[in-house]
Amino acid sequence: MGRASPKPTPEVRSAALTLAETKERRMTQKTGQCLCGAVRFTVTEFGSFGVCHCEQCRRWAGSALFAVNVPETAMQIEGTEAIRSFRSSSWASRHFCGTCGSVLWYRYDKGVDGAGEYEVCLGLLDDGNGFEMKSEIFADEKPDSWALTGGHPKYTRAETLKKFGADVSGA
């Protein structure tokens, strides 16, 4: 009998993609930009598409945040001098165009500025077609004035925090 492998640390587990997530990532190049065009980008690989209903996303985006995951290495950005950022918590930052104010992306950076995968707002893509919603998070914080349909999972605040292992007090 062989010896059991040590359990990966939480950091390794959170950074590692599951087989399903790896298969889900698509190698399709798409372009996008902010409202004024000062920030333009090209994405070469996409992860999952989801919606966040937390209070911070709703206040920042003016509604729920509809975003698609993009690995750090799959994002090529032009016009970085126009990008402004706001550290909304000790573990995440939000980025916007300093010229027109367009919401750009959210980064779960664990407190390291300029790090982490991108959660790119779907509306910035020149072609936002072809994505299937995989989940809604903080679904119990969604206003009752509208609803999204579909059989995807809808995680409550407690379920979201448990799933991502985040301590987001005040988020």
Side-chain angles (χ1 to χ4, degrees), residues 25-32 40-47 68-71 73-77 105 118 120 125 131:
R25 293 204 181 257
R26 294 179 288 199
M27 300 296 286
T28 304
Q29 182 170 307
K30 290 191 182 227
T31 57
R40 297 175 185 274
F41 57 91
T42 301
V43 177
T44 56
E45 181 182 348
F46 292 94
V68 62
N69 177 270
V70 175
T73 58
M75 181 73 125
Q76 299 154 2
I77 304 167
W105 46 74
Y118 297 84
V120 176
L125 297 173
F131 297 101

Side-chain angles (χ1 to χ4, degrees), residues 137-154:
I137 58 174
F138 295 94
D140 55 335
E141 296 183 15
K142 178 193 74 56
D144 66 2
S145 56
W146 55 275
L148 301 174
T149 61
H152 55 272
K154 296 176 181 173

Side-chain angles (χ1 to χ4, degrees), residues 33-104:
Q33 67 177 46
C34 65
L35 180 62
C36 71
V39 179
R40 297 175 185 274
F41 57 91
T42 301
V43 177
T44 56
E45 181 182 348
F46 292 94
S48 63
F49 160 53
V51 177
C52 181
H53 300 285
C54 79
E55 182 179 2
Q56 283 192 10
C57 282
R58 287 185 288 115
R59 291 189 185 278
W60 179 55
S63 186
L65 181 67
F66 289 72
V68 62
N69 177 270
V70 175
E72 199 169 1
T73 58
M75 181 73 125
Q76 299 154 2
I77 304 167
E78 297 174 35
T80 56
E81 65 280 354
I83 298 172
R84 303 294 178 266
S85 64
F86 171 68
R87 175 146 305 281
S88 55
S89 69
S90 62
W91 50 273
S93 57
R94 298 165 189 271
H95 304 262
F96 59 96
C97 175
T99 304
C100 67
S102 290
V103 171
L104 297 172

Side-chain angles (χ1 to χ4, degrees), residues 154-169:
K154 296 176 181 173
Y155 300 102
T156 65
R157 178 183 184 83
E159 291 167 332
T160 301
L161 297 180
K162 183 177 180 183
K163 177 180 172 71
F164 294 103
D167 175 17
V168 292
S169 303

